[in-house]
Amino acid sequence: MSLVRLNIKGISYSQTQNGAYALILSEVDGDRKLPIVIGAFEAQSIAIALEKEIKPPRPLTHDLFKNFSDRFEIVVKQVIIHKLVDGVFYSSLICERDKIEEIIDARTSDAIALALRFNAPIFTYKNILDKAGIYLKGEQESVTPKSSSPTIENMDVDDIVPQKEETPDTNYKKMSLDELETLLSQAVKNEDYEKAARLRDEISKRK
C-alpha cells in the first residue's frame, strides 16, 4: 500500500461534541482533507507546537516526552496513520535510537503533537484517504472524487466542525495592541493556551 504525505491545515472547535476539536490534515500532492476528532488537551498541545511564539512556562506532556527523548537520543522519524476502524484512526510512531528502529502504537492526536515537536513527516495509506478523505469546494474544480470520498458543498474547514460562538472575551477587534499583548501574557501565565492562540492570531493580523 502506498503512503500519502499529509500536512496540518488547521484546527476547529466542535459545538456538537463538548470539548472536541477537529484536526484537519491536508494531502500534500492532492486536494483531499482528512478530518480527525481530537480532545481539548491534544488540540491545545498541537496549537502550541504550531504557534512558535507561545512558550508555556512549564513543559506540557508532549514537551516532556520530547525532552526525555532528546536526553536519551531517541528520534521520532515519522508518523503513520495506519488504520481506520469504526471512525477511529490508529497511528504509529517510527522511532530510532542507535540506528535501531522501533514502532510504537499511539493515539493519532498524540502522534501528531509529537511529530510537530520532532519535525517528523506525517503519512497515511492511500486506502485510508480514499475512505475518509473529503474535498472542500473551491479547492478542487475539475476533479471528480470517488464515491468513497464525498465532496462537501459550500463548506470551508471551519464548517466541518463549527467554531464557538463569539463571546465577550474573544471579541478582541476593539482592543488596542497593548491591551492584546497584556492579555496574551496573562493567558500564557495562566496556561490558558487556547485563549493565548486566539490572542496571538489577532496580534499577528495587526502586524
Side-chain angles (χ1 to χ4, degrees):
M1 291 183 289
S2 60
L3 287 171
V4 179
R5 187 163 179 175
L6 303 169
N7 284 333
I8 296 174
K9 185 172 179 65
I11 300 174
S12 292
Y13 182 76
S14 172
Q15 289 179 316
T16 59
Q17 299 186 53
N18 187 32
Y21 291 75
L23 172 66
I24 311 299
L25 302 177
S26 176
E27 184 180 15
V28 170
D29 295 319
D31 299 306
R32 288 174 293 183
K33 306 294 180 285
L34 192 66
I36 300 173
V37 176
I38 63 176
F41 172 77
E42 291 78 13
Q44 171 181 282
S45 184
I46 290 170
I48 288 171
L50 289 170
E51 180 53 75
K52 304 297 184 184
E53 295 184 39
I54 297 178
K55 302 295 182 184
R58 298 180 297 171
L60 301 180
T61 302
H62 298 111
D63 298 318
L64 177 61
F65 184 95
K66 175 64 163 59
N67 295 339
F68 179 91
S69 300
D70 288 345
R71 183 65 60 89
F72 292 95
E73 299 180 346
I74 300 167
V75 178
V76 174
K77 304 289 288 186
Q78 63 183 13
V79 164
I80 299 177
I81 303 171
H82 63 83
K83 186 167 66 173
L84 173 61
V85 178
D86 296 330
V88 178
F89 292 91
Y90 294 78
S91 295
S92 296
L93 300 172
I94 312 302
C95 303
E96 185 179 276
R97 181 174 183 267
D98 294 334
K99 298 183 179 180
I100 299 174
E101 190 173 274
E102 299 284 351
I103 300 175
I104 301 174
D105 286 334
R107 295 187 307 167
T108 298
S109 54
D110 289 328
I112 291 173
L114 290 171
L116 285 168
R117 287 161 170 80
F118 283 90
N119 293 316
I122 302 165
F123 296 94
T124 191
Y125 289 110
K126 183 178 181 297
N127 66 320
I128 292 178
L129 200 55
D130 289 341
K131 182 178 180 181
I134 61 173
Y135 287 103
L136 302 181
K137 188 171 182 179
E139 296 191 5
Q140 59 89 32
E141 298 296 339
S142 59
V143 179
T144 302
K146 297 179 181 179
S147 59
S148 58
S149 299
T151 302
I152 294 185
E153 298 287 340
N154 301 317
M155 281 187 164
D156 59 19
V157 171
D158 292 343
D159 291 326
I160 297 171
V161 179
Q163 295 281 355
K164 288 180 180 177
E165 294 180 1
E166 188 175 44
T167 57
D169 69 327
T170 60
N171 187 16
Y172 303 128
K173 294 181 180 180
K174 298 177 182 179
M175 296 183 181
S176 68
L177 200 55
D178 287 342
E179 289 173 325
L180 292 171
E181 293 281 4
T182 299
L183 284 177
L184 176 60
S185 297
Q186 292 174 350
V188 173
K189 183 177 180 180
N190 295 332
E191 300 185 17
D192 186 349
Y193 301 118
E194 182 185 344
K195 182 177 180 180
R198 294 197 302 268
L199 285 160
R200 173 53 61 189
D201 288 344
E202 181 62 30
I203 290 170
S204 298
K205 291 177 187 176
R206 305 282 184 94
K207 295 181 177 179

